[in-house]
Amino acid sequence: MPLIDVHCHVSPFDFPAAPGGEVAHRWPCMKCGSKAAGTLMIGDKPFRELDNRSWDVSRRLEDMDRDGVAIQVLSPMPELLSYWYDVKDALLICDAVNAQISGMIKQHPTRFRGLGAVPLQDPLAAARYLRRVREDYGLSGVEIGSNINGIMLGDPSFEGFFAEAEALGMCVFVHALHPIAAKAAAVPPADTAFVYFPIDVAMAAASVAMAGLLDRFPRLRIAFSHGGGALGSLVGRMDTGWNATGGYGGRMAEAPSAVIGKMFFDSNVLSADYLCYLVRQVAPGKVFAGTDYPYLIQQQDPDSFISNLPLSADEIQSLKWRAAEDFLNERFAGF
């Protein structure tokens, strides 16, 4: 079966020049000796070592062919979502990242689709920019953070953005970013990536569910990275609370388990047993493949990993490509 990998990141090699003033201290740039590898700097601080898999199409295609991946859905390195800048400065990065993704798709349109960045620190500006993401850059949707400068996604201020995404038929992929709990605890970076990312994604998904967002926008296609993080372990507790509190004070017309079953999730949980639980119990038909390529924590050999899960042929087919098609709202020839 073909495989669509929906959780794959890119970064430009070249960034626009930093605007003047304090923003320069948090502006991204690449420090390297060649286009083969280097260090992404945020201001004068190293952020991540990168190689040309982040920007070079031919290098990426080699890995896709090796791993049995027919299509990658490209999205920005989350640190480039740029919610901590003024909107006019953030748009410079959004444009650069979206142009990078668009350019990679144009080189091999049968192998790539894309999710762009928007300045969601200003929800109205982000809603206006969505049309440009679709029409100017040709992208299928957007990637957003699990919180926006500490504000959860169920906050009413984001409703106009989600309404526009639904109206335009654009999908939304929620990725862990600057976890709230990690900031409060001042934990080491490794702890943040391996522990607090999935906690923040679970908080984001619970916030969306409990705010009744999918009641108001039933055609919104929204997905959560890292398998929704810890969300799967909370479903029973959330349902119990729904019954005990009159639908959380009337905020939720349906039980949380029913609402969560309408969301999409990627497979990047790095546990075969837990992935089977997601596929069969939490969100049947709504879990798609996602590797977190090309980073250290990525799922290795995704085709073999999924093919050997103790799932039915239909469940494996859904995980490999059908759920991704539903999320992207696109059917691919030959699948």
Side-chain angles (χ1 to χ4, degrees):
M1 299 179 195
L3 187 146
I4 301 174
D5 184 354
V6 183
H7 186 167
C8 313
H9 296 301
V10 304
S11 174
F13 181 80
D14 295 310
F15 288 90
E22 288 298 313
V23 69
H25 297 297
R26 291 208 64 185
W27 201 253
C29 69
M30 287 296 298
K31 181 179 180 181
C32 50
S34 72
K35 291 196 90 169
T39 303
L40 177 68
M41 307 292 292
I42 303 296
D44 59 357
K45 296 179 180 179
F47 177 74
R48 176 172 286 166
E49 297 298 316
L50 297 176
D51 60 37
N52 59 355
R53 293 174 298 172
S54 288
W55 53 79
D56 186 89
V57 166
S58 61
R59 175 68 177 83
R60 183 171 288 245
L61 287 172
E62 291 177 11
D63 288 352
M64 292 169 64
D65 292 342
R66 178 198 66 198
D67 293 340
V69 175
I71 295 172
Q72 282 189 348
V73 181
L74 310 176
S75 58
M77 173 190 287
E79 192 66 21
L80 301 178
L81 292 175
S82 303
Y83 302 141
W84 33 93
Y85 304 130
D86 289 339
V87 170
K88 63 179 177 61
D89 296 331
L91 284 172
L92 296 175
I93 301 298
C94 290
D95 283 343
V97 173
N98 294 340
Q100 173 74 30
I101 295 172
S102 180
M104 293 172 75
I105 294 170
K106 288 175 181 176
Q107 288 183 59
H108 282 275
T110 64
R111 303 298 300 271
F112 299 116
R113 292 295 182 270
L115 306 173
V118 295
L120 200 48
Q121 62 269 55
D122 183 334
L124 292 178
R128 290 193 298 269
Y129 188 75
L130 273 174
R131 190 174 295 274
R132 185 173 181 197
V133 171
R134 188 184 69 172
E135 296 181 359
D136 292 359
Y137 295 112
L139 307 185
S140 305
V142 292
E143 176 185 73
I144 66 173
S146 50
N147 70 84
I148 312 301
N149 295 328
I151 302 174
M152 300 307 298
L153 298 180
D155 189 89
S157 62
F158 300 120
E159 291 215 352
F161 166 77
F162 288 121
E164 185 68 4
E166 182 190 53
L168 293 174
M170 299 181 72
C171 55
V172 178
F173 182 58
V174 179
H175 194 285
L177 180 69
H178 297 181
I180 293 170
K183 291 180 184 178
V187 299
D191 295 18
T192 298
F194 288 96
V195 177
Y196 289 88
F197 270 18
I199 291 173
D200 214 66
V201 173
M203 291 170 61
S207 172
V208 166
M210 297 175 77
L213 195 73
L214 294 181
D215 289 336
R216 293 186 291 284
F217 308 111
R219 294 179 292 107
L220 178 68
R221 305 189 312 280
I222 187 167
F224 295 87
S225 66
H226 311 112
L231 184 71
S233 67
L234 302 176
V235 175
R237 188 175 184 89
M238 291 171 69
D239 275 0
T240 299
W242 183 80
N243 284 307
T245 62
Y248 293 107
R251 283 182 290 151
M252 298 187 71
E254 293 183 282
S257 56
V259 177
I260 289 167
K262 299 175 183 178
M263 300 172 173
F264 290 87
F265 302 93
D266 77 8
S267 65
N268 187 237
V269 298
L270 306 173
S271 164
D273 289 342
Y274 191 72
L275 179 55
C276 289
Y277 167 66
L278 287 177
V279 168
R280 288 185 162 165
Q281 302 296 326
V282 177
K286 298 286 190 176
V287 183
F288 49 63
T291 63
D292 214 351
Y293 177 97
Y295 301 143
L296 177 65
I297 199 173
Q298 74 182 67
Q299 172 66 58
Q300 301 292 332
D301 196 6
D303 184 62
S304 177
F305 175 73
I306 292 173
S307 295
N308 288 306
L309 292 171
L311 297 171
S312 71
D314 283 347
E315 288 167 332
I316 288 177
Q317 184 182 76
S318 178
L319 187 53
K320 281 194 170 185
W321 57 268
R322 192 187 303 133
E325 285 190 327
D326 290 343
F327 177 61
L328 296 169
N329 194 31
E330 183 174 358
R331 295 291 178 260
F332 295 96
F335 277 46

